[in-house]
Amino acid sequence: MRKLFIKNAIESMPSGGAIILNTRKLPNAVQILITNTGVGMTKKQLNSLGIPFYTTKEQGTGLGLVVVMSIIKMMNGKISFSSNLNKGTKCSILFQQK
C-alpha cells in the first residue's frame, strides 16, 4: 500500500520535487499524511480517483488505487485527497479505533 502512494507521488514529479510523510496519533485514531510537490490534479481528476480503470498514466491500469482504497475501507479507514495544479497533492488516511 505504502509503495503505491510513494510511486504515484514520484511519478507526479517529472522534474523532481519533495515527498513528505507524516503520521499523527489522534485521541481515537491514527492519521497518515502523504504530500508531494508534483503537478497536482484538477477537480475532475480528483473526483475520478477510485473509479476502476480511470488513470492519468500512459501505462496505468487504473486498478492500483482502487484496490488500496478498498483495503483501507475494509480496515475501517478513510482516505481523502486534496490537490492544486502545479503545487501538488495531499493524501490523508485515517484509521479510527473501533
Side-chain angles (χ1 to χ4, degrees):
M1 188 164 36
R2 171 182 61 210
K3 182 179 175 183
L4 175 93
F5 289 115
I6 302 302
K7 180 178 177 285
N8 285 354
I10 291 168
E11 291 173 353
S12 78
M13 301 182 297
S15 301
I19 300 170
I20 302 162
L21 302 172
N22 290 307
T23 57
R24 288 196 301 186
K25 179 157 180 8
L26 303 171
N28 293 313
V30 173
Q31 183 180 37
I32 302 166
L33 295 167
I34 305 164
T35 306
N36 70 66
T37 58
V39 297
M41 291 184 276
T42 65
K43 278 194 179 252
K44 183 178 180 181
Q45 289 171 319
L46 275 174
N47 291 335
S48 298
L49 294 177
I51 296 174
F53 306 108
Y54 172 79
T55 183
T56 59
K57 302 175 188 177
E58 276 187 39
Q59 301 296 319
T61 63
L63 294 175
L65 189 57
V66 173
V67 170
V68 169
M69 290 172 82
S70 295
I71 292 169
I72 290 169
K73 188 174 182 179
M74 286 189 315
M75 295 173 67
N76 202 32
K78 295 180 183 178
I79 184 169
S80 62
F81 297 89
S82 61
S83 187
N84 291 304
L85 281 177
N86 303 313
K87 293 189 178 179
T89 301
K90 181 184 282 188
C91 172
S92 172
I93 305 167
L94 188 69
F95 293 105
Q96 297 182 327
Q97 286 182 335
K98 292 183 178 182

